[in-house]
Amino acid sequence: MPSDRPSDPFADRRAARGGGRRATRRQGGRTTRQSTRVDPRPEVEVELEVGPVAHGGHCVARYDGRVVFVRHTLPGERVRARVTEGGEAAKFWRADAVEILEASPDRVPSVWPEAGPGGVGGGELAHVALDAQRRWKRDVLAEQLRRLGKVDLDELDLQVEVEGLPGDDERGGLGYRTRVDLVADGTGRAGMHRFRSHDVVALDGMPLATEDVAELAAREKVFTRTWRAGTRIELVAPVGSAPVLLVDGEPWRSGSPDQRPNARRSVTERVVLDGQQHEYRVAAGGFWQVHREAPATLTRAVLDGVGDVDGARVLDLYSGAGLFTTPLATAVGAAGSVVAVEGDERAVRDARRNAHGLDRVELHHGAVEQVLADDPTGADVVVLDPPRVGAGRAVVETIASRQPSRVVYVACDPAALARDVSYLAGHGYGLASLRAFDLFPHTHHFEAVAVLTR
C-alpha cells in the first residue's frame, strides 16, 4: 500500500550506512555515487508548501515533520527547493527555492539575480515587491516582540508600519547604499561572498549602490581590473562629498595606492535637521549608516523620541562617531549635558572631532557597562544604539539603575530588541511608541526606534 508521507531524500544515505555499501541516485539523467557522510551541501531537492516568514530572510516550511527554512520564496508558494544544509540528524534544514511551482502575487522578477539561489548574500528579498518586503519586516518585528518580548502590538494599540525612506519608492528600492564592501575572488575579480560561505561570487556591478558609488567603481575599474586574490575593496561615496576608495584599508587613486601625505582617509557626512546642518568627519573605513537617507531619518526619530530635553542629562550609549550626540547637545541647551559612550577607539576619535567646542558633551571610550559603573550619576533620558547583538541584561540593569524617565532604543535586530524590551519590562519600563524603517531594501534587515517609559 503506497504511503502518503513525503519520500525521504536522505533514505539512500541511511540505506548505504545500514547495508555497509554506497548508494547510487539518479540525478539529471545521470547516476551519481553518494557518500555515506551527510553532505553540508547535498544535491537533494524537495517539494514544499511554504508557510510564514521568519527572522533571517527566509520562510518556514515543513517536510515530513521537520522544519525547513527556505530562502528565495514567499508565504503561500509551492516550490521545489534544494537542501543546502541538512541531513537525517539535523534539527532543521536550510534550503533555496530553485523552482516556483505556484507563485505568490507579491513575487516580482528579481532586481538582483546574482543574489538569488546559490548567489551572494545581501539581496535575499530582491524577488519580493517593495511594499510586500515592508509587510514581511513588520510581521517579523511583531512576531519577535510577541515571542521574545512578551509584547503584543495590537494589545498596546501600536499600529506599526515599516516606513520607506525618501526616494526609495521612486528608485524601486535600488541605488541607496553609499558604502559597498567587496572582495576579490581567486581569479582576481571583485565580488561578494556567497551566502553562508567563504566563496566569492564575481560581480559586474551592485544595483543597491548609489550613482556616486557606481561612478567611483567605473572610474577606478573596480569590476574590470584584476586584483590580488582576497583583496578587500571599500567604496565610500557620501552624498554631497568627495568619494574614497580603500584597498585593504589603504586609500587608492587613479588605479594605484595614493602615496600622497594628504591622501584622504576620511569623508564628510552632512545631516540637515530643522534647517540646521550638522557636519561629521568620519573615517572612510569606519561605521556609518549605509542608506543615503538613514542618518537624518534616524536622528529625527531619536529627537522625536526623547521629547523636550532642555536642561536634561542625556546618556548617548554606543554613540559611534556622534551621529546623535551633536543634535542631542543642541536639544539639551546650555543648561543640559550629553554623556556619550563608545567602545570603538576610531569612532571615539571621530566623535571628539565632531563634538569639538561643545562643552556640554562628555565623551568616554570603553565598554558601556564599565564606563557607567565608574560614573553612577543618574540620567533623565537614555538613548542607545547597540550593535546587532543588542545591549544585553547587564547593560539594561545599569541603565535602569540610573532611573531615566524614558529610554530611546535604536535597534538593528528585532530579536535583540525584543529580548532587551523584556529585560526593561522587568524594571518597570513599558513600550510607549515604536517606529520601524526600511533602511535596507531588498534585504531582510531594517531598523526600529522604540521609546520605553516608566
Side-chain angles (χ1 to χ4, degrees), residues 50-69:
V50 180
V53 300
H55 181 35
H58 44 248
C59 295
V60 179
R62 290 187 178 273
Y63 187 86
D64 198 15
R66 179 183 271 103
V67 170
V68 185
F69 293 114

Side-chain angles (χ1 to χ4, degrees), residues 111-369:
V111 298
W112 192 11
E114 290 86 353
V120 300
E124 61 274 8
L125 300 189
H127 64 287
V128 183
L130 204 54
D131 60 342
Q133 291 184 30
R134 294 170 186 159
R135 295 197 303 272
W136 176 310
K137 297 173 186 184
R138 178 200 62 198
D139 291 346
V140 167
L141 177 60
E143 191 272 338
Q144 293 294 302
L145 283 169
R146 184 170 53 251
R147 186 170 64 86
L148 299 177
K150 311 306 179 189
V151 171
D152 190 307
L153 296 179
D154 291 335
E155 290 181 0
L156 294 177
D157 197 26
L158 293 178
Q159 305 301 316
V160 180
E161 300 293 334
V162 176
E163 305 172 36
L165 272 60
D168 279 354
D169 287 344
E170 294 82 352
R171 296 184 178 91
L174 302 175
Y176 65 85
R177 289 191 67 104
T178 62
R179 286 160 166 74
V180 170
D181 294 345
L182 304 168
V183 62
D185 70 3
T187 68
R189 290 193 59 193
M192 295 174 62
H193 284 109
R194 199 180 305 278
F195 178 67
R196 292 176 65 84
S197 172
H198 295 296
D199 296 340
V200 177
V201 178
L203 299 172
D204 296 319
M206 206 282 197
L208 306 187
T210 63
E211 291 182 0
D212 290 340
V213 169
E215 289 175 5
L216 174 63
R219 184 166 65 249
E220 297 291 346
K221 299 180 173 56
V222 168
F223 291 107
T224 55
R225 65 171 294 153
T226 300
W227 303 92
R228 177 182 54 80
T231 298
R232 295 179 296 107
I233 306 153
E234 300 171 75
L235 300 106
V236 183
V239 177
S241 178
V244 171
L245 173 65
L246 298 178
V247 177
D248 286 333
E250 298 298 322
W252 268 48
R253 182 170 177 264
S254 302
S256 60
D258 191 344
Q259 304 288 357
R260 298 176 301 166
N262 62 343
R264 294 178 60 243
R265 296 175 178 271
S266 60
V267 295
T268 300
E269 298 281 357
R270 298 178 176 89
V271 177
V272 178
L273 296 164
D274 302 324
Q276 180 180 2
Q277 178 170 281
H278 298 271
E279 197 165 282
Y280 304 83
R281 195 73 170 168
V282 183
F287 175 78
W288 190 257
Q289 290 288 345
V290 300
H291 193 296
R292 66 189 186 285
E293 297 289 347
T297 298
L298 289 178
T299 305
R300 178 74 272 160
V302 166
L303 292 177
D304 291 344
V306 299
D308 182 3
V309 288
D310 186 33
R313 177 179 170 85
V314 177
L315 300 186
D316 181 13
L317 309 181
Y318 310 97
S319 53
L323 172 60
F324 304 141
T325 308
T326 52
L328 285 170
T330 299
V332 300
S337 63
V338 178
V339 179
V341 183
E342 170 57 47
D344 182 79
E345 184 176 359
R346 179 168 59 178
V348 172
R349 287 199 301 268
D350 289 340
R352 293 193 188 285
R353 229 179 2 240
N354 296 327
H356 180 71
L358 295 174
D359 295 338
R360 69 199 70 165
V361 173
E362 300 176 28
L363 288 170
H364 298 271
H365 172 225
V368 167
E369 59 269 33

